Amino acid sequence: MKTIDELLAEGVKGKRVFVRADLNVPLDQGRITDDGRIRAVQPTIAKLAASGARVIVASHLGRPKGAPDPAFSLAPAAARLGELLGADVAFATDTVGASAKETVAALTDGQVAVIENLRFNPGETAKDDAERGAFADQLAELADVYVGDGFGAVHRKHASVFDLPARLPHAAGYLIATEVGVLKKLTDEVKRPYVVVLGGAKVSDKLAVIDELLGKADRILIGGGMAYTFLKALGHEVGISLLQEDQIPKVTEYMQRAKDTGVELVLPVDVLVSKEFPDLKGKTPADFETVAADKIPADKEGLDIGPKTRELYASKITDAETVFWNGPVGVFEHPDYAGGTTAIAQALVDSNAFTVVGGGDSAAAVRILGFDENAFGHISTGGGASLEYLEGKTLPGLAALEG
């Protein structure tokens, strides 16, 4: 895989460099609530601009239906990028139309532009190779060189991720190089004990990675909504908690495999439950309580791991040399159910391990909960991409950059 430093050594001054970034930031009525992904790609963009490139930044945001939708505009991300760069960033109001062409044509050496959300064009995500390729052809007309640095999208076979690199000289940006280097430390160069913390809502989202990690991790700690399928598989009442009953046979199989292979699979011993999920304005129902994990009332829902589980999980992380964490272990957005996720984050900070926060909601959680990002070994920008890499899958975006 060609590096950006090799590209810079060849010279980029005056060249139009297309940077496929991941600016898929969370928005609240047009306001960015977490700019982590923009900050992650800033070094690549800044270096290219400083080297005299005419930088065209492209990304997706959200899941628009292949047509323009103001709710998913990249305009706020472009404005924030400009603030971080300390320079004006031009913004094209389309992807390959008149605005994009005019904006790119107006760039001078060292200037940066952002084009509108790639997913406003149906060709970006098309399943049909020809339709996707046609859109990639149009994007290629905007640039001379391609730099892939949107790690959060490399597991997608999309036009700007997979097809476009085949049409232009290409290299990997700093972020992708860093992400791949970190993931190798979780697969090929693991220091033990290796502890994995998995949370999130659906166990089905994590089955493939559990399958792979059962042969690699020393301990797997389970939390979040997915834990209740494991508890149900043990025969426990889980009340009205999140549950995927169709996954119970697979979960049962994995628990047996963990025993057979000597992997310590750890489940919650207590949980915080409620009859009614409180709103996010701080309302707390009177029946909020902590119960043993095998004593969840039939009319209540588990919303966070309890204090005993927090202590247990922290003790399982203490002696680790490597920790990978993907997925919050409770509904951290509400202060009453943020204690478990806070405890996991603090345990990572307190450990002497190489710690990786695996993107998505867990990456957002550490920022929202006020942790210093530098206290962790690495905070990934790609939850889904990280998981698929750990599952041993070939990621289209990485394969395209290696071609």
Side-chain angles (χ1 to χ4, degrees), residues 108-134:
T108 59
D109 295 359
Q111 288 191 323
V112 178
V114 174
I115 63 174
E116 187 54 285
N117 192 336
L118 291 164
R119 291 184 182 174
F120 285 0
N121 190 305
E124 170 67 2
T125 59
K127 301 293 186 185
D128 181 75
D129 291 349
E131 182 181 357
R132 210 175 54 247

Side-chain angles (χ1 to χ4, degrees), residues 21-22 25 36 48-49 98 138 174 186 204 227 251 295 338 349 375:
D22 178 10
V25 292
L48 287 165
Q138 291 179 292
Y174 292 123
L186 300 179
S204 56
V251 164
K295 298 288 191 298
V349 170

Side-chain angles (χ1 to χ4, degrees), residues 38 62 69 81 98 100 112 114 125 155 172 219 272 286 296 314 342 346 364 370 374:
I38 304 175
D69 183 338
L81 177 60
V112 178
V114 174
T125 59
H155 59 314
R219 298 176 198 135
L272 274 66
I296 298 174
T342 300
Q346 189 62 54
N374 295 320

Side-chain angles (χ1 to χ4, degrees), residues 265-286:
L265 186 65
V266 189
L267 299 177
V269 294
D270 62 343
V271 297
L272 274 66
V273 298
S274 173
K275 276 187 177 179
E276 178 185 4
F277 180 67
D279 62 33
L280 298 181
K281 296 176 182 176
K283 175 185 173 185
T284 305

Side-chain angles (χ1 to χ4, degrees), residues 30 50 53 114 130 151-152 154 156 176 184 187-188 222 268 286 298 313 345 386 390-391 393:
V114 174
F151 180 74
V154 293
R156 305 295 187 192
I176 279 187
K184 285 183 178 178
T187 51
D188 303 329
I222 303 293
Y313 284 12
S386 295
L390 293 180
E391 291 166 16
K393 291 183 178 178

Side-chain angles (χ1 to χ4, degrees), residues 10 19 59 116 126 141 154 173 177 186 189 194 198 223 255 311 354 362:
E10 296 171 358
V19 178
S59 176
E116 187 54 285
E141 291 176 5
V154 293
L186 300 179
E189 306 160 9
Y194 178 20
L198 295 177
M255 287 193 289
E311 291 180 10
F354 174 64
S362 40

